[in-house]
């Protein structure tokens, strides 16, 4: 087995899980678990619910242990409300299981749950996340949980006693303080298929269960045969821990307060189902470029699929791997995505020259590969911000893009755009779909003659020095040296002069002039990239009258 010499949070949890599994069920596969509700778009906050056990399970698998990552799809949950953007007529389905609700209009999927599961399944595959999916609709309706349901109902007084420990004394009687009123199983009506039902009687010996529904229907069924209902959440979750033998499962910060489902479940799994609560961390929320806590019950929150349109899979994995679960972080969809890529590229350079910190190297390794092998990567990883600028200026024209990419580094010629994919495609999607039109770059069609004729002799000289040096500096590094060097040349300073406050002012003034002449504003993409994209001949035309 693999010997671990350095540790990160993933390694430490893997150590704990392996040891705990050996105590609980030696020789059996180690079970890690996640749960997702396809009640709406599965967002980037939900991804942490899956990524955390995935990383731990993958580390366990790398060490040679038999491990399974269960992903429970809570598709037998009730449809709670109609999300923003969906026809309000869907309100008639509130209370039905998610798998019984029609998919949104125009969907190719058979029901609501499948419609929202599909994009997440696709994203998980692209992220290299190996798991065994479990449909709770299939589990309940097949009778797989029948013994557990009957046990929970039989022990309803014990469950109610656990819940009562967390009830406030001033809670009204209508909230079922009486153990005879409490019932942990909720039937779906056989007529309207909603869970707006009330259990009116139950016989423990015969398992006869009678219920009424707000639709007016009433019936008696045998719970020992009934499969159109489910345990309430605070009982359902610990039941599954025991049924599946879960050793590791994280929970959101909202599940760890006193009286929450995780805290209560820990007592119910032990006192009712004879099992043990999983070990696992509380994970913090994931934000989106300054947005607050995400909730999939509201529309419009970015999903893993959205992130994978602007970032490569290893980068998305890295965002989750490099932070401890209890640390919140943000996924950038604005200009900050360029900074995120800069950090990633800087880490890869440190790894190449052997200066990376060990824990950072581990996070990178977990990002770029799993126990099954490496994830796809870009053969020639040009800076994301450079690619975005090129696509912005060329409007994605492949011939122009290839010309500019080839000029970036004469010593590392790019033969085909495939060599800079998929990063190029991600940058193109970002610049096209995430950057507002008023922030896009538009190169002038003609020279601003009026502005050029108003320049003084020093400004004109700066333009001459630039245009004269284009051919001999035509690469990304060369043009960087040129644009920073022109103000130094004018001041009679050597090119290797360290920047002074006065020199910085001169450089900023020169840059602003170039931007105004090339794109009509005083800021824009990095000048060396802009010059390469515009082309030497066109630059000369735009800088002369």
């Amino acid at each position: 087995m693999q010997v671990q010499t350095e540790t990160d949070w993933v390694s430490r949890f893997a150590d704990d899980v392996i040891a705990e599994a050996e105590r609980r069920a030696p020789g059996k596969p180690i079970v890690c678990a996640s749960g997702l509700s396809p009640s709406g778009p599965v967002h980037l906050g939900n991804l942490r619910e899956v990524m955390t056990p995935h990383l731990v399970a993958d580390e366990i698998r790398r060490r040679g242990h038999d491990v399974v990552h269960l992903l429970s799809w809570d598709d037998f949950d009730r449809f709670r409300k109609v999300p923003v953007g969906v026809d309000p007529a869907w309100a008639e389905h509130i209370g039905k299981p998610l798998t019984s609700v029609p998919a949104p209009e125009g969907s190719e999927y058979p029901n609501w749950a499948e419609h929202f599961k599909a994009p997440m399944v696709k994203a998980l595959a692209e992220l290299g996340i190996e798991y065994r999916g479990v449909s709770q609709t299939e589990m309940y309706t097949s009778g797989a949980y029948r013994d557990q349901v009957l046990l929970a109902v039989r022990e309803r007084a014990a469950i109610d006693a656990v819940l009562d420990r967390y009830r406030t004394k001033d809670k009204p009687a209508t909230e079922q303080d009486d153990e005879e009123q409490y019932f942990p199983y909720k039937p779906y009506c056989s007529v309207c298929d909603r869970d707006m039902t009330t259990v009116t009687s139950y016989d423990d010996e015969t398992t006869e269960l009678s219920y009424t529904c707000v639709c007016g229907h009433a019936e008696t069924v045998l719970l020992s045969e009934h499969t159109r209902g489910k345990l309430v959440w605070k009982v359902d979750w610990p039941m599954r821990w025991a049924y599946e033998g879960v050793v590791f499962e994280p929970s959101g910060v909202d599940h760890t307060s006193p009286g929450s489902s995780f805290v209560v479940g820990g007592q119910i799994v032990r006192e009712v189902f004879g099992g043990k609560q999983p070990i696992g961390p509380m994970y913090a929320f994931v934000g989106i470029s300054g947005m607050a806590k995400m909730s999939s019950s509201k529309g419009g929150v970015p999903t893993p699929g959205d992130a994978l349109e602007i970032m490569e899979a290893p980068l998305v994995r890295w965002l989750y791997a490099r932070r401890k679960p209890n640390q919140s972080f943000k996924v950038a969809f604005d200009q900050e995505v360029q900074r995120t890529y800069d950090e990633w590229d800087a880490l890869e350079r440190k790894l190449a020259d052997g200066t990376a910190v060990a824990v950072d190297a581990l996070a990178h390794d977990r990002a770029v590969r799993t126990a099954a092998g490496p994830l796809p990567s870009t053969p020639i990883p040009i800076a994301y911000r450079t690619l975005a600028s090129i696509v912005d200026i060329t409007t994605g024209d492949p011939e122009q893009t290839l010309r500019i990419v080839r000029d970036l580094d004469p010593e590392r010629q790019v033969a085909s755009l495939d060599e800079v994919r998929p990063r190029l495609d991600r940058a193109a999607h970002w610049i096209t779909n995430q950057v507002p039109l008023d922030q896009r770059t538009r190169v002038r069609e003609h020279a601003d003659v009026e502005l050029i004729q108003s320049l003084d002799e020093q400004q004109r000289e700066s333009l001459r020095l630039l245009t004269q040096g284009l051919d001999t500096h035509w690469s990304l590094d060369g043009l960087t040296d040129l644009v920073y060097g022109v103000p130094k040349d004018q001041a009679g300073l050597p090119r290797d002069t360290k920047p002074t406050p006065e020199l910085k002012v001169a450089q900023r003034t020169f840059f602003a002039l170039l931007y105004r002449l090339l794109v009509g504003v005083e800021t824009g993409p990095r000048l060396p990239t802009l010059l390469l994209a515009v082309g030497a001949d066109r630059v000369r035309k735009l800088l002369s009258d």
Side-chain angles (χ1 to χ4, degrees):
M1 293 187 183
Q2 176 182 332
V3 177
Q4 198 74 30
T5 56
E6 298 289 348
T7 63
D8 58 355
W9 69 264
V10 179
S11 300
R12 289 190 290 273
F13 274 119
D15 292 339
D16 294 344
V17 172
I18 291 169
E20 183 65 20
E22 186 62 26
R23 285 190 290 269
R24 294 188 184 188
K28 292 186 177 181
I30 300 170
V31 180
C32 301
S34 306
L36 293 175
S37 174
S39 58
V42 183
H43 57 61
L44 286 160
N46 301 135
L47 181 58
R48 201 165 205 178
E49 166 78 22
V50 181
M51 189 65 78
T52 302
H54 160 70
L55 292 169
V56 173
D58 188 69
E59 172 62 24
I60 294 171
R61 191 173 290 114
R62 292 186 191 205
R63 299 186 193 184
H65 294 276
D66 190 4
V67 61
V68 60
H69 178 186
L70 295 179
L71 172 52
S72 282
W73 294 103
D74 294 324
D75 52 11
F76 207 44
D77 286 2
R78 74 191 304 267
F79 182 54
R80 293 186 296 113
K81 60 183 177 181
V82 182
V84 176
V86 174
D87 188 338
W90 257 253
E92 69 178 271
H93 302 294
I94 289 175
K96 294 180 181 180
L98 294 172
T99 42
S100 295
V101 177
E105 190 173 356
S107 172
E108 62 183 288
Y109 296 97
N111 58 60
W112 189 272
E114 292 301 317
H115 174 82
F116 288 106
K117 279 169 63 175
M120 187 62 170
V121 168
K122 181 176 182 291
L124 294 177
E126 187 172 344
L127 288 165
I129 296 178
E130 180 181 334
Y131 64 93
R132 182 189 300 166
V134 179
S135 164
Q136 291 306 308
T137 295
E138 293 178 7
M139 295 299 287
Y140 271 106
T141 59
S142 70
Y145 294 147
R146 179 167 288 122
D147 290 344
Q148 286 70 30
V149 169
L150 291 171
L151 172 61
V153 171
R154 193 162 59 246
E155 297 295 327
R156 59 192 179 277
I159 294 171
D160 194 39
V162 171
L163 297 174
D164 195 48
R165 297 167 195 166
Y166 299 95
R167 292 187 179 121
T168 55
K169 293 182 179 179
D170 58 350
K171 185 166 288 188
T174 54
E175 296 196 19
Q176 298 182 334
D177 283 343
D178 188 325
E179 68 179 46
E180 290 301 314
Q181 291 180 301
Y182 177 76
F183 206 78
Y185 180 82
K186 194 76 168 172
Y188 284 109
C189 177
S190 62
V191 172
C192 71
D193 206 19
R194 296 179 295 171
D195 70 345
M196 299 175 185
T197 56
T198 301
V199 174
T200 55
S201 67
Y202 181 72
D203 187 308
D204 283 293
E205 290 189 11
T206 64
T207 75
E208 279 191 356
L209 180 151
S210 298
Y211 71 87
T212 59
C213 179
V214 294
C215 73
H217 179 67
E219 72 174 321
T220 299
V221 298
L222 289 177
L223 188 57
S224 57
E225 299 175 357
H226 191 254
T227 57
R228 201 65 189 169
K230 70 184 293 290
L231 294 172
V232 296
W233 171 241
K234 286 188 178 181
V235 182
D236 174 80
W237 198 13
M239 177 275 290
R240 284 192 254 160
W241 290 340
Y243 181 87
E244 296 163 343
V246 179
V247 180
F248 179 82
E249 182 171 5
S251 57
V253 64
D254 49 346
H255 285 308
T256 55
S257 58
S260 67
S261 50
F262 189 80
V263 173
V264 171
Q267 297 175 52
I268 292 176
V269 70
R270 182 178 63 253
E271 298 178 25
V272 176
F273 296 106
K276 293 185 177 181
Q277 188 176 37
I279 62 173
M282 172 276 293
Y283 59 85
F285 296 120
V286 177
I288 303 295
S289 297
M291 287 175 62
K293 170 188 171 183
M294 292 178 289
S295 172
S296 56
S297 62
K298 298 179 180 179
V301 291
T303 66
D306 294 329
L308 288 167
E309 287 182 327
I310 66 168
M311 287 181 272
E312 296 161 88
L315 195 85
V316 176
R317 289 174 61 91
W318 179 61
L319 294 176
Y320 291 79
R322 68 173 177 161
R323 295 281 184 258
K324 296 176 182 177
N326 63 356
Q327 294 176 314
S328 60
F329 66 90
K330 295 175 182 176
V331 180
F333 279 75
D334 55 10
Q335 299 287 341
E336 283 297 306
V337 70
Q338 299 180 106
R339 190 188 304 273
T340 303
Y341 255 101
D342 288 344
E343 292 180 34
W344 172 259
D345 290 344
L347 173 57
E348 295 212 308
R349 288 192 295 272
K350 290 180 180 178
L351 287 166
D353 63 24
T355 60
V357 177
V359 69
D360 292 338
L362 276 172
H364 179 273
D365 185 65
R366 301 190 192 289
V368 300
R369 73 180 183 95
T370 69
L375 274 71
S377 62
T378 299
I380 301 179
I382 294 170
Y384 186 93
R385 64 173 66 244
T386 300
L387 292 173
S389 294
I390 293 171
V391 174
D392 185 21
I393 298 162
T394 65
T395 62
D397 181 88
E399 290 186 8
Q400 290 190 59
T401 300
L402 181 58
R403 170 186 65 78
I404 299 164
V405 167
R406 281 175 171 166
D407 288 340
L408 291 174
D409 185 356
E411 296 183 4
R412 193 178 187 184
Q413 281 289 319
V414 175
S416 163
L417 289 181
D418 288 340
E419 293 181 300
V420 294
R421 288 190 169 107
R423 185 178 290 199
L424 171 63
D425 298 329
R426 303 299 184 270
H429 189 91
W430 176 73
I431 201 75
T432 304
N433 296 279
Q434 297 295 331
V435 179
L437 284 175
D438 61 359
Q439 296 179 23
R440 299 286 299 275
T441 304
R442 291 291 177 265
V443 179
R444 287 184 179 277
E445 293 292 330
H446 307 286
D448 186 341
V449 177
E450 183 178 350
L451 174 57
I452 293 173
Q453 291 179 346
S454 72
L455 301 179
D456 59 31
E457 183 52 38
Q458 184 179 17
Q459 291 171 314
R460 287 173 173 271
E461 181 193 31
S462 69
L463 298 182
R464 284 195 297 271
L465 290 171
L466 179 80
T467 56
Q468 289 169 2
L470 289 177
D471 291 341
T472 55
H473 292 78
W474 199 250
S475 69
L476 193 63
D477 290 342
L479 289 172
T480 301
D481 178 67
L482 179 62
V483 296
Y484 280 93
V486 165
K488 295 178 183 180
D489 294 344
Q490 288 189 288
L493 299 172
R495 285 286 178 93
D496 60 358
T497 300
K498 298 294 183 183
T500 62
E502 295 78 12
L503 181 57
K504 288 181 178 180
V505 170
Q507 288 171 331
R508 284 197 296 270
T509 302
F510 177 53
F511 297 166
L513 175 60
L514 291 178
Y515 282 125
R516 289 173 65 195
L517 289 170
L518 294 173
V519 296
V521 293
E522 293 195 353
T523 60
R526 290 181 173 180
L527 275 170
T529 307
L530 177 60
L531 294 171
L532 281 174
V534 174
D537 290 342
R538 191 176 177 191
V539 168
R540 291 189 181 96
K541 290 178 181 178
L542 292 174
L543 299 186
S544 63
D545 54 1

